[in-house]
Amino acid sequence: REGTINVLSHVLQQTCCHSELATVYERTVTQLGGPDAKESTSAQENLLSAYVLSGTFPAAQKLAMLLQKKTGKHEYLIKAMMCNIAQVPDGVTDHMLLKIATKMIFSTLNGKHCLHPQTCQLYVNVLIQQLQFTEAVAFVASDLGKHFGLPEQRYAQLLKCLDAELEYLE
């Protein structure tokens, strides 16, 4: 049965039938014992990807939070935050989901749970989207900002923050 699901998922991915792919993985999770069953974790990870590809961000956010609770991996928390951000309409700078994402990402970084360059980048992007340029620059220059990696990467982030502010002011 697993081989059939793999072939079917490959065909659905290649034909951009992401909603149908999500349905396949939803049924697979159910057949494997439901969302709480340990055996269904892999299928849930695939389901999360299918939700994101199909633009079903509320379901993806909910599933990412469930996977974070189930596995304890903070990468799912970051994915949940990204799903929140994806639900914000383009050009909107003052949205509740952005504020929630900002607090959650900072809490994750401050708790030293997920100190990766990508998490730092996500935090800076959310601050810039909210036109909080000073806060973005302050973060990049802070001790937490060192998790961007090499000094050149931090400088690039500082330039990005300043460029975004200049573009906004023009």
Side-chain angles (χ1 to χ4, degrees):
R1 182 172 38 146
E2 186 177 320
T4 304
I5 292 172
N6 288 338
V7 169
L8 181 58
S9 67
H10 178 73
V11 169
L12 291 173
Q13 284 176 342
Q14 295 302 311
T15 57
C16 297
C17 297
H18 305 298
S19 296
E20 291 79 2
L21 181 61
T23 302
V24 168
Y25 284 122
E26 286 169 349
R27 290 181 182 159
T28 303
V29 168
T30 302
Q31 290 176 353
L32 292 172
D36 296 328
K38 191 172 187 172
E39 298 80 26
S40 68
T41 302
S42 178
Q44 286 176 307
E45 290 170 345
N46 291 328
L47 177 58
L48 177 61
S49 296
Y51 281 152
V52 169
L53 290 170
S54 66
T56 315
F57 296 114
Q61 187 268 338
K62 184 178 177 181
L63 181 57
M65 292 301 289
L66 178 94
L67 283 166
Q68 196 279 326
K69 288 177 185 172
K70 184 177 177 178
T71 65
K73 294 181 181 177
H74 289 282
E75 68 185 63
Y76 294 116
L77 188 60
I78 300 299
K79 289 179 182 185
M81 291 178 244
M82 292 171 74
C83 290
N84 273 353
I85 295 165
Q87 295 177 67
V88 176
D90 287 340
V92 175
T93 60
D94 188 30
H95 196 281
M96 181 59 71
L97 289 175
L98 286 174
K99 292 175 184 179
I100 291 169
T102 303
K103 288 181 181 180
M104 288 177 71
I105 297 168
F106 185 75
S107 175
T108 300
L109 288 168
N110 208 29
K112 299 181 180 14
H113 296 296
C114 202
L115 295 173
H116 300 292
Q118 297 85 354
T119 310
C120 294
Q121 179 66 56
L122 181 62
Y123 185 63
V124 168
N125 288 346
V126 172
L127 289 173
I128 289 172
Q129 188 171 350
Q130 296 176 84
L131 308 178
Q132 296 178 6
F133 306 111
T134 304
E135 291 84 351
V137 169
F139 173 75
V140 174
S142 73
D143 283 342
L144 284 175
K146 70 182 176 190
H147 295 287
F148 271 114
L150 298 173
E152 294 84 10
Q153 293 166 317
R154 284 180 86 176
Y155 297 139
Q157 290 306 310
L158 284 171
L159 286 174
K160 178 182 176 177
C161 295
L162 296 172
D163 286 344
E165 185 171 21
L166 284 173
E167 185 177 315
Y168 173 72
L169 293 174
E170 292 177 348

